[in-house]
Amino acid sequence: MIMLWLPAAVSLLLSSSLHVAGDAGGGVASLSVRRYDAIFSFGDSLADTGNNPVVFDWYSIFDPVTRPPYGSTFFGRPTGRNCDGRLVLDFVAERLGLPLVPPFLAYNGSFRHGANFAVGAATALDSSFFHGAGDPPGASPFPLNTSLSKLIGDGATTVVVPGMIPSGCSPPVLVTFADAGAAEYDASTGCLREPNEVATLHNSLLLDAVEELREKHPDVAIVHTDLFRHVSEMVQNPDKFGFQKDVLSVCCGGPGKYHYNTRIICGDEGATTCVDPSKSLYWDGVHLTEAAYHYIADDWLHAITLSARATS
């Protein structure tokens, strides 16, 4: 069985050739409805496990994730992940009994158990869409260029589509719009309302598209996991997850509000890293810590299990 992974702009494709007995307890510990053989991932930096440094090198762009303290929590060294440790994708692979999904561009071994095509700054739309009227700031040269229908046709048996995070809560967005008026913030969270409303609209349209895909492919487990809800819950209830009260501040960054500085980023001289990353939601900006990804992975695994059982 193959899983297709698409976080934010990301999808997870699981493939399996073997069905085994279900877990009588209904939990996610054994995930025994289906046995997955491989995971194929498509997405951006929320799922990238090492392609980013290779692609950035093509364009002679320095990639800060290639230096400490990236990777320090679990791997003990930078791995190309925009995180202090493991991503949701890593936790899912571990719980399914599969090897960590190797980055397609930075791995010379076998892809029998899957491959990761996610790369930092990737977009769901082709880059020509962004360059049609000139080169806008931040336009990405790394489009995903993939179709879920085609991937299902190629053998995907489980597809995971998470949607967008609440971008109005992300420190880089909060710093960019630091001059916003008080009425533009959600008083209960400190997040900007309008970016979150845009993300909510996007996720609503995405869910409609997922429903259409389910109707076309009733034998495929197409899982929509609400990444927006997961992050929002952590922002609203940091104590529940063991996070610090100042939950919108990043763990690794430069001086300034939210500990985020556009000129001094994680790993730079002058940047600092929190003592315990597991107490932080955000790692270096929009990217989350391993601790946050661990909580999210637990819920996604539960959703994958339920959906796989429903289509077995």
Side-chain angles (χ1 to χ4, degrees):
M1 182 179 298
I2 299 174
M3 179 182 285
L4 177 63
W5 189 261
L6 295 147
V10 188
S11 155
L12 172 68
L13 168 80
L14 292 108
S15 167
S16 117
S17 56
L18 178 63
H19 292 256
V20 294
D23 173 18
V28 298
S30 63
L31 287 168
S32 55
V33 169
R34 289 179 174 176
R35 176 173 177 175
Y36 291 99
D37 302 320
I39 299 176
F40 292 90
S41 171
F42 300 81
D44 55 17
S45 56
L46 296 181
D48 187 358
T49 55
N51 289 311
N52 199 66
V54 177
V55 176
F56 273 43
D57 186 59
W58 293 346
Y59 292 87
S60 300
I61 302 172
F62 171 70
D63 191 345
V65 305
T66 58
R67 64 187 179 184
Y70 286 91
S72 56
T73 293
F74 180 77
F75 299 100
R77 59 179 177 80
T79 62
R81 291 167 173 78
N82 286 267
C83 186
D84 61 306
R86 290 163 291 183
L87 310 178
V88 174
L89 178 63
D90 297 315
F91 285 113
V92 170
E94 288 179 347
R95 293 284 287 278
L96 293 176
L98 292 171
L100 299 185
V101 185
F104 180 72
L105 297 175
Y107 184 71
N108 295 321
S110 168
F111 293 106
R112 178 181 177 184
H113 294 296
N116 190 359
F117 299 95
V119 60
T123 62
L125 293 170
D126 191 275
S127 56
S128 61
F129 173 87
F130 299 96
H131 296 283
D135 292 346
S140 173
F142 318 128
L144 294 176
N145 286 340
T146 189
S147 162
L148 289 185
S149 293
K150 182 181 185 304
L151 292 167
I152 290 172
D154 288 341
T157 54
T158 299
V159 179
V160 180
V161 185
M164 287 181 63
I165 62 173
S167 52
C169 300
S170 298
V173 175
L174 291 166
V175 168
T176 299
F177 298 99
D179 58 349
E184 297 179 67
Y185 292 89
D186 183 329
S188 66
T189 62
C191 302
L192 283 165
R193 297 179 184 275
E194 190 169 339
N196 280 353
E197 289 170 358
V198 172
T200 298
L201 175 59
H202 167 89
N203 289 337
S204 175
L205 296 173
L206 178 63
L207 181 56
D208 290 342
V210 168
E211 293 294 351
E212 291 180 8
L213 203 60
R214 285 171 175 162
E215 291 180 3
K216 293 179 181 178
H217 305 281
D219 296 330
V220 176
I222 301 175
V223 185
H224 177 267
T225 54
D226 193 349
L227 188 55
F228 187 102
R229 176 179 60 82
H230 292 117
V231 177
S232 295
E233 184 178 4
M234 294 179 189
V235 171
Q236 293 166 354
N237 304 288
D239 292 345
K240 176 181 177 181
F241 300 94
F243 295 143
Q244 62 189 8
K245 185 175 180 180
D246 187 14
V247 71
L248 297 180
S249 290
V250 303
C251 173
C252 184
K257 195 171 184 180
Y258 309 108
H259 194 209
Y260 181 82
N261 191 307
T262 57
R263 296 185 179 181
I264 302 177
I265 62 175
C266 182
D268 279 352
E269 183 177 353
T272 57
T273 306
C274 62
V275 175
D276 185 359
S278 71
K279 301 297 183 183
S280 294
L281 168 60
Y282 291 101
W283 166 243
D284 62 355
V286 69
H287 309 109
L288 308 182
T289 60
E290 177 182 277
Y293 287 134
H294 194 178
Y295 288 122
I296 294 170
D298 285 344
D299 196 67
W300 288 17
L301 282 160
H302 182 66
I304 291 168
T305 302
L306 294 178
S307 183
R309 285 176 177 165
T311 56
S312 294

